[in-house]
Amino acid sequence: RRVQLVPKQPMGFTRATVWLDPKGAQLRQLEVIEQSGTTRTLRFATIARGVVFGADAFRFAVPKGVRVVDPEAMGR
């Protein structure tokens, strides 16, 4: 099944489409169209449920020597 989502309020995307397996409603694919017009597609071949992640799994540290560019600070 394909479900199209449109945000009620402005967000980082203008439209998203999700594909769900009709047997169990498992997510199979996600397509997001960003405000810039960029389309990102993610396909999920294997999904594991109940997985526990460590506290550092979603931490990101900027590597030394990398210049961080903030679009909002640039007047975007």
Side-chain angles (χ1 to χ4, degrees):
R1 302 198 188 281
R2 183 176 71 178
V3 179
Q4 194 168 73
L5 308 169
V6 178
K8 289 183 177 183
Q9 299 174 12
M11 300 184 86
F13 68 97
T14 58
R15 186 174 68 225
T17 306
V18 294
W19 282 261
L20 302 169
D21 185 342
K23 299 172 188 167
Q26 192 166 6
L27 180 64
R28 292 292 174 202
Q29 182 171 309
L30 168 66
E31 182 180 271
V32 178
I33 300 176
E34 299 177 356
Q35 289 178 340
S36 66
T38 300
T39 300
R40 297 186 189 273
T41 303
L42 303 169
R43 291 190 180 100
F44 303 96
T46 305
I47 296 178
R49 296 176 186 214
V51 176
V52 178
F53 292 96
D56 62 341
F58 297 100
R59 286 200 188 122
F60 176 75
V62 178
K64 283 188 174 186
V66 172
R67 183 175 148 231
V68 177
V69 178
D70 180 3
E72 290 184 24
M74 296 174 62
R76 187 174 179 209

